[in-house]
Amino acid sequence: GAVVSQHPSRVICKSGTSVKIECRSLDFQATTMFWYRQFPKKSLMLMATSNEGSKATYEQGVEKDKFLINHASLTLSTLTVTSAHPEDSSFYICSARPPGTDTQYFGPGTRLTVL
Amino acid sequence: QKEVEQNSGPLSVPEGAIASLNCTYSDRVSQSFFWYRQYSGKSPELIMSIYSNGDKEDGRFTAQLNKASQYVSLLIRDSQPSDSATYLCAVAMSGAGSYQLTFGKGTKLSVIP
């Protein structure tokens, strides 16, 4: 149980385009989903916390207008990187929290490369 | 600043030995503690959670928690080369809201055949 999927697993795009990443909890309803970013050989960095039906809470330094998060249902959250630039190239990972627990289960991640 | 500290390593152990990974945390009222394993280029995978003082065993893995010392550890018995990965300690800090976890920077483990 507690499986989280992400799509796509890898994306290459041109500078200035927007990219949408989906995160789904497959066998449980996720009250809360989290979005992280990880640069090579660096630590996980929490970008935002997403609660179903409400606006995401962004961490300090994360631009909410650049990284649009939508959590429209209990099993789906999306992250849209708008007007992507090469410095946005990174490994984006979501996690989901089942109700009644503070355990986070991670998706497999999406590797974004912006040319 | 609520923090989770881990030695970055690398920690090298021979195959078959016990690997001991340590983690300290600053928030005395933290209640939930987790160990994740992250292979290079992959996302973190939950290994164990622990909530009470003492030991919790799951196969070759044992998590140990000492809340008085604000210390949590992970022991890996009969280490295998496939255990080579970065191990992340995570703590649910009080007052974090929305069940956020605070992660350590991870300890890189290398199991030498």
Side-chain angles (χ1 to χ4, degrees):
Chain A
V3 179
V4 178
S5 70
Q6 267 183 259
H7 178 81
S9 59
R10 185 179 295 269
V11 59
I12 301 173
C13 69
K14 292 182 179 179
S15 185
T17 60
S18 294
V19 174
K20 179 185 282 189
I21 303 170
E22 291 187 350
C23 177
R24 293 181 185 272
S25 54
L26 298 185
D27 52 0
F28 65 97
Q29 293 185 328
T31 311
T32 311
M33 289 184 170
F34 304 86
W35 287 95
Y36 295 84
R37 180 166 56 180
Q38 189 173 38
F39 293 105
K41 301 189 186 302
K42 298 295 185 182
S43 307
L44 280 175
M45 187 191 85
L46 178 66
M47 299 176 67
T49 301
S50 167
N51 290 295
E52 185 266 337
S54 62
K55 289 183 178 180
T57 301
Y58 290 81
E59 295 301 298
Q60 193 171 8
V62 178
E63 300 174 60
K64 63 180 181 181
D65 295 329
K66 181 170 184 62
F67 299 100
L68 302 179
I69 293 172
N70 184 282
H71 192 162
S73 78
L74 285 171
T75 60
L76 174 64
S77 177
T78 60
L79 167 68
T80 301
V81 183
T82 62
S83 186
H85 290 284
E87 58 265 30
D88 299 322
S89 298
S90 188
F91 190 39
Y92 292 86
I93 314 171
C94 73
S95 69
R97 178 186 73 84
T101 175
D102 46 20
T103 305
Q104 291 183 27
Y105 297 93
F106 285 85
T110 297
R111 195 162 302 281
L112 171 64
T113 302
V114 184
L115 302 177
Chain B
Q1 182 84 5
K2 296 177 179 177
E3 295 180 340
V4 176
E5 300 284 345
Q6 294 181 255
N7 287 328
S8 61
L11 172 66
S12 295
V13 299
E15 183 174 355
I18 296 175
S20 178
L21 304 163
N22 304 315
C23 172
T24 59
Y25 59 94
S26 62
D27 185 3
R28 184 167 290 278
V29 299
S30 296
Q31 295 296 318
S32 307
F33 307 86
F34 306 88
W35 283 100
Y36 289 85
R37 176 176 62 198
Q38 187 174 24
Y39 291 112
S40 180
K42 303 294 185 182
S43 67
E45 172 192 11
L46 180 67
I47 297 176
M48 292 191 70
S49 58
I50 187 166
Y51 303 95
S52 304
N53 279 329
D55 295 358
K56 179 181 178 182
E57 187 175 317
D58 183 359
R60 295 187 295 113
F61 299 97
T62 299
Q64 299 175 318
L65 175 61
N66 184 324
K67 290 186 178 181
S69 300
Q70 296 174 235
Y71 175 92
V72 58
S73 66
L74 180 70
L75 301 178
I76 307 175
R77 289 182 300 281
D78 188 25
S79 295
Q80 301 296 309
S82 59
D83 295 325
S84 298
T86 296
Y87 289 80
L88 304 174
C89 172
V91 179
M93 297 286 193
S94 64
S98 299
Y99 300 92
Q100 288 180 7
L101 297 180
T102 299
F103 285 85
K105 294 185 177 182
T107 298
K108 186 173 183 178
L109 172 66
S110 291
V111 180
I112 312 300

